[in-house]
Structure formats: structure tokens, C-alpha cells
Amino acid sequence: QVQVVESGGGLVQAGGSLRLSCAASGRTFSSYAMGWFRQAPGKEREFVATISRSGGSTNYRGSVKGRFTISRDNAKNTVYLQMNSLKPEDTAVYYCAAGRTWPNNNPRAYDYWGQGTQVTVSS
């Protein structure tokens, strides 16, 4: 079992940057693909970025490509989401999740979820 805790959210102006972190417990972190998802009020949870177990492969939602970067440090049991050039439409609660299958951008394929961290981008 894996427990994940997100941090790093906040309020930022459009064009600004934030770096989200997700710390995972357990000695099997490197056996999980990791993903970042987000959910805005009144909308379904959506895929943002995912990364393979080794960190060698990544996938991004089209609207964040070139602006967001997902990475992981298996020695620190941590996955990151660097978000640059933020836009008001990026406003959402961002969730970190761990899953066994790769590649997979479907939230239902992920087994363990954090509580989320709020990202608000003002115009």
C-alpha cells in the first residue's frame, strides 16, 4: 500500500509558476506509475501528466504540454509537477496518484490518491 501527500499549491498570478510535490510512503514507490490529475468545481477529474516507474517516459494533457513538467525521484519517494506559464483555466484541486499500469491516463486505473492541493491562478 502507498500513501501520498501533496504540497506546493497556492495562489499565483497568470503567467506565474508553481511546483507541486507528492511525497509517498512505502518501500515500493518505484514499482508504481505516478500521475497528476486535477478537478475544477463542477467538472470531472482529468488527467494532467503521468510518469512511468523509472521516470523514463511521460505523458501530458495537450493543454499543458510545454508548460508543465512531471518528474520523480525514486530515492526520495517523491514526484513533482513543475507548472510554468500558468493560466486561469489551470485553477483546480490537483491530486497525486499511484497506479500499477502504464501507460494509463484514466483516473480509475490509479489505486492510491492524496487529498489534493488547491491551485488558483488569478487573471
Side-chain angles (χ1 to χ4, degrees):
Q1 190 169 353
V2 176
Q3 292 183 324
V4 295
V5 178
E6 305 95 336
S7 62
L11 173 64
V12 64
Q13 289 188 332
S17 298
L18 283 174
R19 188 194 197 200
L20 305 184
S21 297
C22 171
S25 65
R27 291 176 288 182
T28 60
F29 176 73
S30 61
S31 66
Y32 289 88
M34 299 297 295
W36 285 99
F37 299 82
R38 67 187 182 188
Q39 188 166 17
K43 295 187 177 181
E44 291 188 354
R45 191 167 299 188
E46 63 184 20
F47 144 75
V48 176
T50 56
I51 189 166
S52 63
R53 298 171 184 83
S54 68
S57 297
T58 56
N59 285 328
Y60 293 94
R61 181 176 198 81
S63 61
V64 308
K65 277 184 181 178
R67 300 189 297 124
F68 291 11
T69 302
I70 188 171
S71 62
R72 68 188 294 164
D73 185 337
N74 285 344
K76 295 183 178 180
N77 282 14
T78 303
V79 62
Y80 305 97
L81 185 68
Q82 177 67 45
M83 305 186 294
N84 299 327
S85 302
L86 282 160
K87 303 176 181 180
E89 51 263 43
D90 295 318
T91 295
V93 177
Y94 281 70
Y95 297 91
C96 175
R100 288 287 193 181
T101 61
W102 172 264
N104 203 320
N105 301 333
N106 187 340
R108 296 183 180 183
Y110 287 75
D111 304 306
Y112 304 105
W113 292 81
Q115 294 299 307
T117 184
Q118 177 70 47
V119 171
T120 303
V121 184
S122 63
S123 58

